[in-house]
Amino acid sequence: MGQTNWQTSSVALGIMRMEALSVEQAAQSIQTAVDAGINFIDSADIYGMGNSEITFGQALKQTNISRDQLYIQSKGGIVTDPKRSHGSFVFGQRYDFSKQHLIDAVDGILSRMQLDYLDSFLLHRPDPLMEIDEIAAAFDDLQASGKVRHFGVSNFNPEQFKMVQAGISQKLLINQLQLSIAHTGMIDFGMHTNMADDRSLNHDGSVLEFSRRMGTTIQAWSPFQYGMFEGTFINSPKYQALNESLAQLADKYHTSKNAIAVAWILRLPANMQVVLGTMTPQHIIDSANGADIELTKQEWYDVYFAAGNDLP
């Protein structure tokens, strides 16, 4: 994880949708993930308006899994808008990286999840009003108190990342970013350099190359999604060619299309980790199998082409 000796599974379980499960169902999802080799849990204080973390904390106690077997991460900094939020769909009314808000956010997370500490805590989305000295003071207090061991960010571009890193004493190990076969902007830009087509637009500040150079772990969220929350490309008629390509490789490697989609992300020669959003036990098992598959370079490109991408 990052440039440390902190070893975690290359596939993580995200619990955004855990609020919709019973405690018993959630316990089954957690146990299934651990049995499939996943030891990393990703959350955020806004997921299910906090209910996902409450369910997780209760469910973990129903399993045979000890706290020390897991690396548990959460995110904070978004102030929710209760009027527009419902179920798994949560909307913010502002971002807040003040010292007090970040400390209160972690305290709330620990209380809901019934934990003594987080292995990592991320700033959820970049705030144009963030004051770096406030973030630094919060991180120092959280680390000194033993409430948080490591830190990172989510959805930050390189300049935002560097600005925060320059003002804090801790190493930012993680940047959580949207990436899937159907969401490849950070890859497309690098190949379309010095061109005038749409794929040549630099939307992310060369975040893939920056992260590789810094040794930052990229946690890929929504690994099966297209758009923001439009749906999954797995078995979607909008992505017929892609599904045919995934199916062919799934047959070759005796696995599922989900596993190939995970393997495609992990094949990037960067410090990659895939965050699953599914709560369905069989989908967790199928997807986790992708960690054991190394696609050839041509297979990686074949999947990339099947998603509608090209080479310049």
Side-chain angles (χ1 to χ4, degrees):
M1 185 62 62
Q3 290 181 318
T4 72
N5 60 359
W6 183 31
Q7 298 291 321
T8 68
S9 56
S10 57
V11 176
L13 180 69
I15 66 167
M16 184 179 78
R17 297 179 176 86
M18 191 165 278
E19 56 85 24
L21 304 184
S22 68
V23 173
E24 291 73 23
Q25 290 171 326
Q28 183 183 10
S29 295
I30 297 167
Q31 188 67 59
T32 298
V34 171
D35 291 345
I38 296 172
N39 67 359
F40 197 106
I41 303 296
D42 173 70
S43 183
D45 60 354
I46 66 169
Y47 289 167
M49 297 291 287
N51 290 318
S52 291
E53 294 185 333
I54 292 173
T55 300
F56 173 83
Q58 295 172 348
L60 183 60
K61 294 185 179 301
Q62 291 197 6
T63 69
N64 295 320
I65 304 163
S66 69
R67 167 65 181 89
D68 294 340
Q69 288 179 261
L70 298 176
Y71 294 88
I72 301 177
Q73 167 179 287
S74 193
K75 304 179 286 290
I78 299 177
V79 179
T80 57
D81 184 351
K83 294 180 180 179
R84 295 193 300 144
S85 301
H86 55 88
S88 297
F89 293 95
V90 180
F91 299 89
Q93 56 181 310
R94 74 173 190 276
Y95 303 137
D96 189 345
F97 289 168
S98 65
K99 175 184 177 181
Q100 195 59 54
H101 180 83
L102 294 177
I103 290 175
D104 289 346
V106 171
D107 285 342
I109 292 163
L110 295 177
S111 176
R112 289 189 294 274
M113 300 182 89
Q114 302 181 51
L115 301 174
D116 295 325
Y117 68 93
L118 291 174
D119 291 287
S120 53
F121 176 68
L122 311 186
L123 302 176
H124 202 161
R125 280 193 174 274
D127 177 12
L129 300 180
M130 60 182 154
E131 298 171 272
I132 308 305
D133 58 339
E134 291 272 314
I135 297 172
F139 282 11
D140 287 345
D141 279 12
L142 291 169
Q143 189 174 61
S145 65
K147 294 177 181 178
V148 179
R149 293 184 171 181
H150 303 285
F151 297 88
V153 296
S154 181
N155 306 298
F156 274 50
N157 68 37
E159 288 301 321
Q160 293 163 339
F161 187 103
K162 288 189 289 186
M163 180 173 65
V164 172
Q165 183 64 84
I168 64 174
S169 57
Q170 299 81 10
K171 178 76 172 178
L172 294 175
L173 304 184
I174 298 158
N175 195 358
Q176 194 170 107
L177 300 162
Q178 186 176 8
L179 176 64
S180 77
I181 301 168
H183 188 94
T184 54
M186 71 174 72
I187 298 170
D188 303 338
F189 164 73
M191 288 198 287
H192 287 251
T193 297
N194 199 35
M195 299 184 67
D197 59 349
D198 289 343
R199 295 181 191 275
S200 70
L201 297 176
N202 186 356
H203 293 283
D204 308 303
S206 303
V207 70
L208 177 61
E209 292 81 4
F210 171 78
S211 298
R212 289 186 65 179
R213 182 161 55 85
M214 297 294 290
T216 308
T217 293
I218 293 179
Q219 293 180 337
W221 59 270
S222 288
F224 311 121
Q225 299 286 319
Y226 64 92
M228 189 70 168
F229 292 111
E230 292 179 49
T232 175
F233 55 77
I234 301 291
N235 298 327
S236 170
K238 293 184 178 180
Y239 289 90
Q240 183 175 350
L242 174 57
N243 277 279
E244 290 174 357
S245 178
L246 293 174
Q248 290 172 1
L249 289 171
D251 287 343
K252 173 183 175 180
Y253 288 99
H254 307 291
T255 189
S256 67
K257 289 189 283 188
N258 290 67
I260 299 300
V262 168
W264 187 86
I265 295 173
L266 295 178
R267 184 62 179 81
L268 288 165
N271 204 351
M272 307 300 300
Q273 188 180 40
V274 175
V275 181
L276 306 179
T278 181
M279 292 286 96
T280 305
Q282 190 57 52
H283 289 170
I284 293 171
I285 295 170
D286 290 343
S287 301
N289 288 335
D292 299 321
I293 298 167
E294 183 173 348
L295 300 177
T296 69
K297 290 186 176 182
Q298 189 59 60
E299 288 169 344
W300 187 92
Y301 273 101
D302 289 343
V303 171
Y304 183 71
F305 296 148
N309 300 303
D310 61 6
L311 296 184

